[in-house]
Amino acid sequence: MGVDPVTVEGLHAEIRRLVRRRGGVVLNVNAHCLNLCYEDPGLRRFFGAADLVFCDGAGVRLAAKILGGSLPERITYADWLPRLATFAESEGLSLFFLGARPGVAEKAARRLRSTRPGLEIVGIHHGFFDHAANSPENGAVVAEINAAGPDLLLLGLGMPLQERWLMENLENLNVGAALTGGAFLDYAAGNLRRGPRLLTDNGLEWLARLLVEPRRLWRRYLLGNPVFLARVVGQRLRMVDGSRKRQEM
């Protein structure tokens, strides 16, 4: 799985380019996502075909370091969304929010607009609908998005639902670029609090989230993180062994 070594500024530049081209895909990746991709070849192919995949987790940065690479920063929606909204306002880019429970996206939009009066949010729809590609509800949601024709479609359906929904509907969407964002609407609405900055600023966002939502996230972090790290270490050992064998030849 490739992860693009971008900064926020580089990410904004790429989004600007994709919007002009129409139909771009920008995905965020963390350790949980990579675990999902390991088990699902179709999901892995979708990430491999995306226009840009950016690092949204300290575990991914650590993995890159273990494997001899480098990622300049972790870009997490809880920090990035206000900057993305400011960027969109300054560039005149329109947004469509899809996801979360009814009322959450509206609240997030109000909060973002309160400090960015020029921000153009052309559509909002909650994430509680029949996601089957051939369902009437799904067709109505796609039609609503296309009628608005946003520059940026921000999906907050959670992993891997948001990626699978995008896989099935991308060809029928009239958007500049589609971005996946997990729980970004809940953060933007103020419904989901972050953990202590001492944790979130020092590579322990996973622990902060676990403290906030232990019943929902314990399996993802307490089981998933060690599995992810073991796979990374195993890959590193295979790389070292392969290099040694080539030298011996």
Side-chain angles (χ1 to χ4, degrees), residues 30-31 34 55-64 74 203 206 228-229 232:
N30 53 32
L34 290 174
C55 171
D56 183 15
V60 178
R61 289 193 76 194
L62 175 62
R74 174 182 67 114
W206 67 271
F228 172 71
L229 183 59
V232 172

Side-chain angles (χ1 to χ4, degrees), residues 159-220:
M159 291 179 179
L161 176 57
Q162 60 196 10
E163 289 82 10
R164 288 177 178 153
W165 186 89
L166 195 53
M167 288 167 63
E168 294 174 350
N169 294 279
L170 182 61
E171 290 186 358
N172 298 318
L173 289 171
N174 173 31
V175 300
L179 291 77
T180 55
F184 81 95
L185 288 168
D186 291 291
Y187 282 114
N191 292 354
L192 186 61
R193 71 182 191 276
R194 296 186 76 187
R197 298 296 300 192
L198 180 65
L199 299 180
T200 61
D201 291 347
N202 290 282
L204 294 172
E205 182 92 31
W206 67 271
L207 180 56
R209 292 199 65 189
L210 181 62
L211 293 173
V212 173
E213 299 182 274
R215 293 183 64 182
R216 187 173 76 87
L217 298 176
W218 72 270
R219 186 181 300 273
R220 176 188 301 186

Side-chain angles (χ1 to χ4, degrees), residues 74-96:
R74 174 182 67 114
I75 304 172
T76 181
Y77 271 88
D79 291 324
W80 177 47
L81 183 62
R83 297 177 65 180
L84 176 60
T86 299
F87 167 74
E89 182 186 30
S90 66
E91 294 285 325
L93 303 180
S94 59
L95 309 180
F96 193 111

Side-chain angles (χ1 to χ4, degrees), residues 16-169:
R16 185 187 298 113
R17 184 188 71 82
L18 292 173
V19 166
R20 294 195 188 106
R21 194 193 73 184
R22 305 294 291 182
V25 174
V26 177
L27 306 177
N28 61 320
V29 65
N30 53 32
H32 173 59
C33 176
L34 290 174
N35 279 342
L36 292 173
C37 287
Y38 184 90
E39 303 291 345
D40 186 336
L43 190 63
R44 189 163 64 247
R45 285 192 297 271
F46 182 63
F47 272 81
D51 294 285
L52 189 143
V53 178
F54 67 89
C55 171
D56 183 15
V60 178
R61 289 193 76 194
L62 175 62
K65 187 174 182 179
I66 291 173
L67 296 174
S70 177
L71 294 170
E73 62 178 306
R74 174 182 67 114
I75 304 172
T76 181
Y77 271 88
D79 291 324
W80 177 47
L81 183 62
R83 297 177 65 180
L84 176 60
T86 299
F87 167 74
E89 182 186 30
S90 66
E91 294 285 325
L93 303 180
S94 59
L95 309 180
F96 193 111
F97 292 158
L98 176 62
R101 295 182 178 278
V104 174
E106 288 87 349
K107 185 178 178 182
R110 285 196 303 271
R111 285 167 61 97
L112 289 169
R113 285 178 177 138
S114 67
T115 55
R116 301 165 187 84
L119 182 63
E120 186 180 6
I121 300 175
V122 294
I124 290 167
H125 199 287
H126 62 77
F128 284 72
F129 60 94
D130 186 347
H131 301 103
N134 59 353
S135 74
E137 273 190 290
N138 190 74
V141 170
V142 170
E144 184 179 342
I145 294 169
N146 289 342
D151 293 311
L152 301 178
L153 169 63
L154 273 67
L155 290 162
L157 300 173
M159 291 179 179
L161 176 57
Q162 60 196 10
E163 289 82 10
R164 288 177 178 153
W165 186 89
L166 195 53
M167 288 167 63
E168 294 174 350
N169 294 279

